[in-house]
Amino acid sequence: MASFSIEEFVGEGVLKVLLPKLLEEGWDDVPTLKIMNTDDMEALSMTQLEKDALEIRSYLHDRALMQYGDRIESSGKCLSELLNLSLGDLSSQFGMKRGHVARFMDRTSACADHLPNSHPSLATEKISLLSKNTSIQRSFQSVNSQKFHSKLPTRNSSINRKSLEQSLASFKIKDGYIFKGIVSMEPAEPRACGCVQPPPVVEKVAPYSTIENISIQKLTPEYKMGMEHLVKTKTPPMKASELWRNKPAVLLCIRRPGCIMCRAEAHQLYAKKPIFDSLGIQLFAVLHEHMESEIKDFWPRYWGGVVLFDRGMEFFKALGGGKLLKEKFLSGFVFNPRAIANYKRAKAMGIKQNFKGEGEIKGGLFVVGSGRSGIAYQFIERNFGDWAPPAEVIEICSQLQQNQHEGHEESNTRSQQSE
């Protein structure tokens, strides 16, 4: 799987000498660097060779083929020329394995997810001119219209006094998910011909009071170029509510950072960082174990955002309605066809794994509004390796941003009327 370390992304090619300038101009993480467009490149006075190198490396990163980056870039060919090479040429010239050749020739990106139809235009400086880069276009096209056939409730004049739990009450989507309130999970399937029953899950959103006072500790900062050494910096414990005091947050509760499925989920979510940045949403990963070697392996390769330590496992208990959701390997994986399918999905992404740490405590995901507005969305890992669908999370965050924006406008209007 392609790393989120920007030094590994640029490799030993022509972009390496450009790193100080990229850092100075704010292109200091891989997801943001990959959305650079023609105008941005011109502003940096990039040569054609550097432009080609960025396009090639972005393409390889999407397909987890960065190990070929230096060799391919040194050939002097642009991406369109490379895609016109025969399978034999790719193998002989770059030592590409047969399976990797197939992945390289697949023009559709396995890592690309899309914005929902209701998402407003991306207005930030670095995302406003995406149309000129075809590799970026594919990542930011609108999601299929069938994905969300039911819109979230719109804000009314009294919404400022309501929590997000009320304003995002209930909705359905066509792919089989049925939302009760704002809790989402994959369906339960028969296991071992019905002889093994899946464990029960809580179908109500966790009360905000269960998470606001959780004691957490920051283990890593948000990754920026040259910051790996800060993973050793210890910070004092803090209240979880401080995280989202001013900005909404997505909290990804990870079962085990060495798990192949957890790493895959973290990677595909963090790859959407520019989208969340444009929505004003923060990204956090939450661990219930503090193993320094595992954190080094996990950050920033699979996750470039802030990593938090939840010593009391309180976020994980909140997902289970006050108790940890746990399941044994035999019943939860060996006899569970959906978990096996999740494993195969992660394996196909070329991710490495280990078996260090506790792996039976299930995770999930929270979207929390700013201040005390509440939990806007909650996803439960019912089966090992279940992901909160990225398009679903982005849709929630988009509506969250829209609702808050409308709330600010209403507040300003009332203030003007009272003057």
Side-chain angles (χ1 to χ4, degrees), residues 43-60:
L44 290 168
S45 302
M46 291 176 65
T47 65
Q48 187 59 48
L49 202 59
E50 291 169 337
K51 295 175 184 177
D52 289 343
L54 178 57
E55 185 177 24
I56 289 170
R57 289 184 179 273
S58 296
Y59 186 87
L60 294 174

Side-chain angles (χ1 to χ4, degrees), residues 331-348:
S331 61
F333 184 80
V334 176
F335 293 149
N336 188 346
R338 184 173 288 273
I340 294 173
N342 289 339
Y343 174 82
K344 291 179 179 179
R345 172 180 61 178
K347 189 74 172 176

